[in-house]
Amino acid sequence: MIIREIGKRGIIFTFEDDISIYLIKGNHHYVLCDTHLGPLSMNVVKEYLTSQLTPKDLLIFNSHSDWDHIWGNCAFEDAVIIAHDTAKKRMQEIGDFELNRLRKFHQGVIKLKYPTLTFSEKLSLADEDINFIYAPGHTIDSSLCFDQRDSVLFVGDLVEFPIPYLDYYDLDAFIKTLEFIKSLPAKIKISAHSGIIGDDLIERNLFYIRRIQQGQSISNEMIGPAIEVHQYNLNNRLLLKYEPLIREKLGKEFDYASYKAHFSDLGTIKSANFKRTLKDYLQKLEVNSFN
């Protein structure tokens, strides 16, 4: 665990798995960006709040609803949880599936705790100079936390080294979000998985996304150690393309866990094999628009 101060009122907690969360020490509230893997993870934050700081209300910001950013919500019983409008719905749909599938990562006994204060485009804490901004890309529900007073931007998983995960089909939206991140007057930008980042990494992510969008090859140098991430992105892009048709076909019978159980190895299965698997699945559902 590494704890370090950022600016005049920020603290980064970086865990042994290199995931970082960010605490803003506001005048009236403390704002915690993401909550890692469960209540045991959050003991270090709770200890810091009680031993190093004077008591204030805590607000939690979930940058999106992926498991490694929200499992620690339940450690803070009375905290308001802020997230985008789509985060609660997505968490309700995928939350139990991820909780059961990824038990080896549990840090304590986890009870899913959903957002209690949501927003569509932007939510401002005017008295703290903190803005929460909708920024789809990595996921449909991704958002930013911008501390204007300290000029610090928390981007969640929207920027990663060496390449980002693509869990939202609309790459135009992702490109627009990354361009927006570049344009913000933030002196420090923090990625949940890559620490403090610069515009060079944002440009690298943009280049990668554009190559994927255009169906062009990606060099091994760019992919680096993230071979499974890249393979996941290729397969997941195809799956996301057909997911609306699958949902429409199944209607009320659509069950996320059952659906995803057919495609559990997106990062390891080769593209040609995955295409055959998906085609067979679609044919069984009598969805015949595969191309």
Side-chain angles (χ1 to χ4, degrees):
M1 161 65 68
I2 298 173
I3 303 174
R4 54 177 169 163
E5 296 184 359
I6 297 293
K8 295 181 179 179
R9 60 175 186 171
I11 303 290
I12 295 181
F13 298 83
T14 303
F15 295 88
E16 288 76 9
D17 56 10
D18 290 329
I19 297 177
S20 295
I21 62 176
Y22 189 60
L23 178 69
I24 303 171
K25 300 177 289 184
N27 292 340
H28 307 286
H29 305 87
Y30 298 124
V31 178
L32 179 63
C33 299
D34 288 344
T35 60
H36 200 240
L37 298 178
L40 289 181
S41 296
M42 291 300 95
N43 281 342
V44 65
V45 178
K46 295 171 81 170
E47 169 64 21
Y48 186 90
L49 289 170
T50 56
S51 66
Q52 303 293 323
L53 304 175
T54 57
K56 293 178 186 176
D57 289 339
L58 176 68
L59 304 177
I60 291 172
F61 166 66
N62 288 155
S63 64
H64 59 298
S65 53
D66 282 355
W67 57 281
D68 51 338
H69 299 261
I70 58 98
W71 277 357
N73 287 358
C74 60
F76 305 98
E77 183 176 349
D78 299 322
V80 172
I81 302 174
I82 300 169
H84 184 257
D85 289 337
T86 55
K88 182 176 181 179
K89 180 180 179 181
R90 185 170 181 261
M91 200 183 300
Q92 288 172 329
E93 181 172 67
I94 74 174
D96 287 332
F97 171 74
E98 292 191 332
L99 198 62
N100 292 325
R101 181 175 66 95
L102 300 165
R103 289 183 180 275
K104 66 180 180 179
F105 296 108
H106 288 198
Q107 291 289 317
V109 178
I110 299 163
K111 180 178 180 181
L112 293 176
K113 188 172 181 183
Y114 304 122
T116 54
L117 175 60
T118 63
F119 61 95
S120 57
E121 296 299 325
K122 182 177 179 181
L123 176 66
S124 297
L125 302 179
D127 57 348
E128 301 284 14
D129 292 326
I130 295 173
N131 294 314
F132 307 103
I133 306 165
Y134 182 43
H138 164 61
T139 59
I140 191 174
D141 60 334
S142 294
S143 301
L144 307 164
C145 176
F146 184 30
D147 180 356
Q148 289 180 286
R149 192 174 302 172
D150 238 6
S151 192
V152 175
L153 181 70
F154 184 80
V155 305
D157 286 359
L158 286 162
V159 184
E160 291 194 56
F161 180 84
I163 56 175
Y165 275 92
L166 305 179
D167 280 319
Y168 183 42
Y169 190 71
D170 189 349
L171 295 187
D172 284 334
F174 205 162
I175 290 169
K176 183 178 179 181
T177 283
L178 292 181
E179 295 286 4
F180 176 68
I181 289 173
K182 281 173 52 184
S183 74
L184 286 172
K187 294 179 181 178
I188 298 173
K189 299 178 176 114
I190 302 170
S191 161
H193 291 275
S194 302
I196 295 176
I197 60 169
D199 286 349
D200 56 339
L201 182 55
I202 299 173
E203 289 292 349
R204 180 190 182 99
N205 282 198
L206 277 167
F207 181 83
Y208 174 81
I209 293 168
R210 289 187 175 118
R211 298 284 291 188
I212 292 290
Q213 186 180 48
Q214 296 161 7
Q216 298 180 334
S217 62
I218 312 293
S219 69
N220 291 333
E221 181 182 2
M222 167 155 283
I223 296 170
I227 296 173
E228 289 193 8
V229 177
H230 178 58
Q231 189 62 61
Y232 172 90
N233 288 340
L234 294 177
N235 292 335
N236 197 42
R237 284 279 296 158
L238 187 60
L239 185 59
L240 289 170
K241 177 181 178 180
Y242 289 97
E243 186 174 307
L245 293 175
I246 295 168
R247 288 176 179 269
E248 182 180 358
K249 181 68 177 181
L250 292 175
K252 293 182 180 180
E253 295 181 2
F254 179 84
D255 175 73
Y256 185 83
S258 298
Y259 159 63
K260 291 295 286 187
H262 292 278
F263 312 106
S264 59
D265 53 355
L266 295 182
T268 55
I269 185 171
K270 297 298 183 182
S271 297
N273 294 337
F274 177 71
K275 287 179 181 178
R276 285 194 292 270
T277 299
L278 179 57
K279 186 176 181 179
D280 290 345
Y281 177 78
L282 292 172
Q283 287 178 339
K284 289 178 182 178
L285 292 181
E286 299 181 346
V287 176
N288 299 313
S289 59
F290 186 86
N291 55 62

